[in-house]
């Protein structure tokens, strides 16, 4: 058996298309353009790449992008003041503070200073509580993207056994809440789980969010199961040759041993080109949702949990 590939790149393009159409509609009908403010503190190269990509895609779907680049030495007080200003700015519907923050800044204090209605990352404690109690909230982008792909592939998820490997606040826990919301029987596995292969073998749906290359083995996967690989790991790729500085080139791999799992699973997301592209698409969807809620406009279908 060869698993069906779940094409996150194509799916993300369809989400952006939907967002773009709805953005054009509300601009024409109501004269409102959704706006996303992204705040980057410091010069972390990976974060700079993410922020650039977010800004570019925000503009491409017709929304306003506001970027704030602050020095690594920015004080907590100055950052909180900027967040207050953005909270009060009616042209800003979504606020994202790029993580991780430099060590001297208290991450949870900063995140919880964001107006929960503008918290498009879904990390504010109010949104975490709303999601946990099954109420309307802003949903973290990566798990939301995984849920969209699962719903698209399965239709109903009701009654399926789902195993989420990883219990982080940004992926594992919200993913489990979302699957529970769709009536899956959910197991959260983590670094202390006993006999993980056996736990995974019971799953109709496996979501791997561990951060270890090729961690989930092919023979852990139940034949026909759906495998969602959230992991993004960079490993040496000597087959690609050397860089100009003599170092070995690298490539991205997921948390699942794809080559082995693809012949057992019913469907699987590749890395790259699976969950990754969905994350920014869902950030745009969340910004549109936040704008619609702020103004009382009808929300687009299929872009929220
Ligand atoms: P994290 O380090 O916060 O959490 C990892 C989790 O894995 C922990 O809960 C831990 O209990 C679990 N774990 C570690 N070792 C384990 C083991 N031996 N057995 C079982 N569980 C184990 O990581 P995270 O932020 O949740 O991210 C996980 C992965 O997803 C990373 O590779 C990250 O880069 C990737 N990620 C991708 C996206 C995306 O857009 N595609 C977004 C966020 C994170």
């Amino acid at each position: 058996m060869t698993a069906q590939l779940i094409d996150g790149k194509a799916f993300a393009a369809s989400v952006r298309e939907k967002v773009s159409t709805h953005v054009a509609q509300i601009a024409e009908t109501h004269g409102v353009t959704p706006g996303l403010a992204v705040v980057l503190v410091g010069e972390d190269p990976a974060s700079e790449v993410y922020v650039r990509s977010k800004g570019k895609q925000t503009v491409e779907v017709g929304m306003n992008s506001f970027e704030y680049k602050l020095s690594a030495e920015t004080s907590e007080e100055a950052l909180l003041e900027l967040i207050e200003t953005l909270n009060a700015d009616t042209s800003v519907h979504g606020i994202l503070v790029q993580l991780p923050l430099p060590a001297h800044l208290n991450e949870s204090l900063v995140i919880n200073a964001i107006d929960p209605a503008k918290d498009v990352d879904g990390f504010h404690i109010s949104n975490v509580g709303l999601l946990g109690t099954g109420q309307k909230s802003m949903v973290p982008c990566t798990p939301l993207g995984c849920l969209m792909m699962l719903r698209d592939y399965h239709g109903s998820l009701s009654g399926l056994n789902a195993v989420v490997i990883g219990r982080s606040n940004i992926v594992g826990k919200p993913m489990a809440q979302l699957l529970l919301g769709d009536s899956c029987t959910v197991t959260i596995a983590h670094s202390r789980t006993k006999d993980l292969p056996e736990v995974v073998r019971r799953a109709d749906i496996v979501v791997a969010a561990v951060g270890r290359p090729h961690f989930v083995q092919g023979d852990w996967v139940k034949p026909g199961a759906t495998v969602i690989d959230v992991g993004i790991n960079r490993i040496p790729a000597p087959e690609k040759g050397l860089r100009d500085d003599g170092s070995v080139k690298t490539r991205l791999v997921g948390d699942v041993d794809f080559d082995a799992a693809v012949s057992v699973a019913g469907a699987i997301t590749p890395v790259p080109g699976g969950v990754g592209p969905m994350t920014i698409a869902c950030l745009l969807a969340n910004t549109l949702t936040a704008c619609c809620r702020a103004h009382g406009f009808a929300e687009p279908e299929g872009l929220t949990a």
Side-chain angles (χ1 to χ4, degrees), residues 3 38 106 109 142 146 157 179 181 193 219 221 229 240 246 295:
V38 177
N106 180 336
L109 185 81
T142 301
C146 296
L157 305 181
L179 291 166
T193 296
D219 66 358
V221 175
D229 191 349
K240 287 170 76 175
H295 292 275

Side-chain angles (χ1 to χ4, degrees), residues 81-300:
E81 211 169 285
L82 171 61
I83 291 172
E84 266 318 300
T85 307
L86 297 173
N87 282 344
D89 185 338
T90 53
S91 66
V92 172
H93 302 93
I95 302 170
L96 181 147
V97 177
Q98 184 66 43
L99 301 178
L101 289 171
H104 69 283
L105 299 171
N106 180 336
E107 228 161 70
S108 57
L109 185 81
V110 169
I111 295 304
N112 290 322
I114 298 172
D115 177 348
K118 298 189 178 189
D119 168 39
V120 281
D121 251 344
F123 296 159
H124 190 289
I125 195 75
S126 298
N127 283 315
V128 175
L130 289 168
L131 179 62
T133 49
Q135 300 179 70
K136 204 168 171 180
S137 64
M138 295 307 301
V139 178
C141 304
T142 301
L144 178 58
C146 296
L147 182 75
M148 283 183 189
M149 292 193 287
L150 283 167
R151 281 178 174 170
D152 182 66
Y153 178 72
H154 283 277
S156 168
L157 305 181
S158 181
L160 296 178
N161 281 331
V163 172
V164 179
I165 317 174
R167 56 175 160 183
S168 72
N169 290 334
I170 62 167
V171 189
K173 281 188 213 156
M175 186 74 246
Q177 299 281 10
L178 289 171
L179 291 166
L180 199 55
D182 271 29
S183 301
C184 288
T185 301
V186 182
T187 303
I188 306 179
H190 47 76
S191 52
R192 305 292 174 91
T193 296
K194 290 197 177 120
D195 203 357
L196 184 60
E198 266 317 302
V199 172
V200 175
R201 269 181 210 119
R202 292 201 295 266
D204 303 308
I205 293 171
V206 183
V207 180
V210 185
R212 292 182 174 216
H214 297 153
F215 177 71
V216 176
Q217 306 295 300
D219 66 358
W220 298 9
V221 175
K222 175 165 127 178
T226 303
V227 178
I228 304 290
D229 191 349
V230 182
I232 301 179
N233 309 289
R234 203 164 267 290
I235 61 165
E239 72 280 4
K240 287 170 76 175
L242 300 178
R243 296 197 188 93
D244 291 345
D245 66 2
S247 61
V248 175
K249 286 189 177 166
T250 58
R251 67 187 174 101
L252 289 183
V253 298
D255 287 346
V256 177
D257 182 351
F258 181 89
D259 292 343
V262 75
S263 55
V264 188
I268 189 166
T269 58
V271 177
V275 176
M278 286 298 286
T279 298
I280 298 185
C282 287
L283 172 67
L284 305 177
N286 276 351
T287 305
L288 172 59
T289 299
C291 174
C292 291
R293 289 180 186 170
H295 292 275
F297 304 153
E299 287 178 36

